[in-house]
Amino acid sequence: MTTTKKKKEEGVLDLASQDALQKQFMKERANRVLSSALSRTALSTVSFVPASVKDVNPAFSVEVKTMSVTNQRASGRCWIFAGLNFLREIIAKKLNLSNFELSQNYISLFDKIEKANFALESVLSLADRPNDDRVLAFILNDPVSDGGQWDMLVNLVEKYGLLPKSAFPETYQSENTRETDFMCNCRIRAFAALAHKLVKEGKLKEAREEKEKAMKDIYNMFIAAFGIPPKTFDFAYTDKKDKYHVEMGLTPLEFKKKYIGKEMSLYQSLINSPTDDKPYNKNFTIDYLGNVIEGKRINHLNVTMKRMKEAIIAQLKGGFPVWFGSDVSFYRDRDSFAWDDNAYDYVSGLNFKPDFDKGDMLDFKASAMNHAMLIVGVDLVDGKPTRWKIENSWGKTGGLDGYYVMSDSWFEKFVYQAVVKKDLLTEKEMAATKKEPTHLPPWDPMGTLAD
């Protein structure tokens, strides 16, 4: 009787193969040293390259002096903090202030409320689709979160105005948003399930009524958690000359009109997405992304990194910081101020590194914007940037009193968005921003939210 040896199934990682890999691993002295080091030490610490610090020396040839950093606490509101930090510099210049904060809680409250309404309306419009429809499933995965983008901030400021932090300070819930976000999303998903049944039965009026009930529940929860914002407030401040000033009975919209005016309409979002589906000098929007339904839709102009840097540098030279979005998941030294893609040598120990081609990283879900900050400085050598100064919103305990330095090579790889004055664009770029944008699906990486 003959037996036929069973053919090994392709792709199976069998025990014999693993045993061979392990033996090969143990033969290498470097592998044994690495294993010992990693048993008691973080991978990033073992891989750190001390010589890399020289590339992020905190000295800058162009620098915009800004006020003390803020702290978003245990919330993902970086885009709001960065945006309000930008706007407060405009107000501080007008009033000669040495330090000042706008109410992040005020904008955050209405962002939550508007996002919930936006999500409920989106769900209602898709209620006739199967529950596993890709668009509906994407929306329901995380309908209301802390994150956002520049144009979403513009919508909130234009609709609700601004007020000083002293007039509407933070609450525990505004600084710790996990639980209220969870409850809000539970309510939205419950509505989605009910709306699906009602629409299937042709009961559109009843579905709309249920949407209003859900919106009322969510509104009440966020008002209870974040507080009831004032209709009017008194704005008292002391300028750099120690002179006291007070303005009585302002509304948030009056405050915004007086001190910001139409300033936010003067800026354009630029993105750097070197992918085949996004030609340069074309503008894009993302479907089902937003907060204020009647507000301005997301509008990104895709440009080369060279053009993005030129516009950023020009704005800094003009005395204005730059709101920008990047991926801070890579090569960030948590123990210092330096963010540099040469700071960690993963290849020597692991034979690979976490990053690869920027366009491929976007296409294959390896990277996307996840954090917004302000660029407040750059060091130029022969007209070219070598490093950038960043104002973060993680408080003063990290970095250099809350400020960080990014090498230009890190900047090239992981910066995806910057908001600059429209008058810094070329005529061709400006014309492109006015054309009907190409619509991208909600899961496109340029639709990710900074938090």
Side-chain angles (χ1 to χ4, degrees):
M1 183 178 179
T2 60
T3 59
T4 304
K5 188 176 181 181
K6 189 176 180 181
K7 184 179 179 181
K8 178 182 175 182
E9 187 176 348
E10 186 175 7
V12 171
L13 184 62
D14 58 29
L15 296 179
S17 298
Q18 293 188 56
D19 186 55
L21 286 172
Q22 190 175 110
K23 288 179 179 177
Q24 186 178 357
F25 175 88
M26 293 303 295
K27 285 181 180 179
E28 298 290 334
R29 178 175 177 274
N31 288 340
R32 298 196 300 272
V33 173
L34 178 65
S35 180
S36 297
L38 291 179
S39 68
R40 296 287 182 93
T41 314
L43 173 60
S44 56
T45 302
V46 172
S47 305
F48 181 67
V49 180
S52 67
V53 178
K54 66 179 176 58
D55 295 325
V56 281
N57 177 36
F60 308 91
S61 56
V62 180
E63 187 172 356
V64 179
K65 297 296 182 182
T66 53
M67 289 177 278
S68 179
V69 298
T70 54
N71 195 336
Q72 66 190 77
R73 306 290 180 186
S75 71
R77 299 174 293 161
C78 63
W79 61 288
I80 292 175
F81 274 72
L84 296 187
N85 287 344
F86 174 81
L87 295 178
R88 70 172 175 164
E89 297 295 336
I90 296 172
I91 297 171
K93 286 180 181 179
K94 290 181 178 180
L95 300 179
N96 196 29
L97 302 177
S98 58
N99 204 16
F100 173 68
E101 280 191 55
L102 290 161
S103 174
Q104 301 94 357
N105 186 22
Y106 181 74
I107 295 297
S108 301
L109 167 63
F110 287 111
D111 177 58
K112 296 292 187 186
I113 291 169
E114 290 283 357
K115 273 181 185 163
N117 186 59
F118 193 98
L120 289 168
E121 284 295 324
S122 297
V123 167
L124 187 56
S125 71
L126 299 168
D128 61 338
R129 299 190 185 186
N131 65 289
D132 61 352
D133 173 79
R134 187 177 183 185
V135 175
L136 179 60
F138 183 88
I139 293 170
L140 290 176
N141 181 60
D142 194 18
V144 172
S145 67
D146 288 357
Q149 294 197 5
W150 171 261
D151 287 328
M152 295 165 70
L153 177 67
V154 173
N155 288 336
L156 294 167
V157 173
E158 291 298 324
K159 183 170 182 176
Y160 295 102
L162 297 163
L163 68 166
K165 186 171 185 176
S166 58
F168 194 55
E170 297 282 279
T171 69
Y172 175 85
Q173 299 297 335
S174 69
E175 294 182 334
N176 299 269
T177 55
R178 183 181 63 82
E179 291 183 336
T180 49
D181 282 356
F182 173 79
M183 293 301 294
C184 175
N185 290 335
C186 286
R187 186 66 179 92
I188 290 172
R189 293 173 186 131
F191 164 73
L194 180 55
H196 181 73
K197 295 181 179 70
L198 291 172
V199 170
K200 190 175 182 180
E201 296 169 3
K203 298 178 180 179
L204 301 181
K205 181 174 181 292
E206 289 85 347
R208 169 63 61 185
E209 291 171 350
E210 290 297 330
K211 181 263 176 177
E212 298 305 327
K213 290 179 184 177
M215 191 63 238
K216 179 182 178 182
D217 291 343
I218 293 169
Y219 184 93
N220 289 345
M221 179 189 70
F222 281 123
I223 286 289
F226 288 38
I228 301 174
K231 300 291 185 183
T232 63
F233 61 93
D234 298 335
F235 178 37
Y237 62 92
T238 302
D239 63 25
K240 291 180 179 178
K241 296 181 179 180
D242 290 329
K243 185 177 179 180
Y244 175 80
H245 305 262
V246 63
E247 296 182 64
M248 309 292 288
L250 288 171
T251 69
L253 283 171
E254 288 171 344
F255 182 86
K256 178 261 174 188
K257 182 179 180 181
K258 182 171 184 177
Y259 293 111
I260 298 299
K262 298 187 180 297
E263 181 76 18
M264 298 185 80
S265 67
L266 304 179
Y267 291 82
Q268 171 65 40
S269 167
L270 305 180
I271 57 170
N272 176 244
S273 179
T275 52
D276 292 340
D277 64 331
K278 298 182 185 69
Y280 290 130
N281 291 321
K282 300 289 184 181
N283 65 328
F284 299 87
T285 192
I286 296 92
D287 291 336
Y288 295 99
L289 176 63
N291 49 6
V292 179
I293 286 178
E294 71 276 21
K296 178 180 182 289
R297 295 308 308 269
I298 300 296
N299 187 292
H300 296 315
L301 177 68
N302 195 27
V303 298
T304 64
M305 181 54 77
K306 179 177 181 292
R307 276 296 299 133
M308 180 180 281
K309 288 181 181 180
E310 288 172 350
I312 292 171
I313 292 168
Q315 186 155 309
L316 291 173
K317 287 182 175 180
F320 289 89
V322 177
W323 188 103
F324 82 111
S326 63
D327 184 350
V328 296
S329 308
F330 295 84
Y331 300 105
R332 193 179 81 228
D333 186 357
R334 293 181 178 273
D335 297 322
S336 80
F337 61 87
W339 295 358
D340 179 18
D341 59 310
N342 296 308
Y344 300 97
D345 178 13
Y346 293 111
V347 175
S348 293
L350 304 178
N351 201 37
F352 69 94
K353 59 180 183 175
D355 59 302
F356 44 99
D357 176 78
K358 187 174 186 178
D360 287 343
M361 289 182 75
L362 288 169
D363 281 340
F364 291 89
K365 312 304 179 187
S367 179
M369 179 187 73
N370 56 28
H371 189 53
M373 298 168 283
L374 290 184
I375 302 170
V376 297
V378 62
D379 190 58
L380 301 175
V381 176
D382 296 327
K384 296 182 179 180
T386 61
R387 53 183 175 267
W388 305 79
K389 183 178 181 181
I390 307 303
E391 178 185 331
N392 208 340
S393 55
W394 293 343
K396 298 179 183 179
T397 56
L400 299 170
D401 290 327
Y403 288 86
Y404 294 82
V405 183
M406 294 180 181
S407 68
D408 188 61
S409 57
W410 192 102
F411 198 94
E412 284 265 355
K413 292 180 179 179
F414 302 116
V415 169
Y416 292 106
Q417 182 182 9
V419 176
V420 301
K421 285 191 172 183
K422 292 178 181 178
D423 60 13
L424 298 175
L425 304 180
T426 66
E427 289 186 11
K428 183 179 179 180
E429 289 166 346
M430 194 64 216
T433 67
K434 297 177 181 178
K435 293 181 180 179
E436 178 64 25
T438 298
H439 286 249
L440 301 172
W443 46 83
D444 189 272
M446 289 302 114
T448 57
L449 301 180
D451 60 8

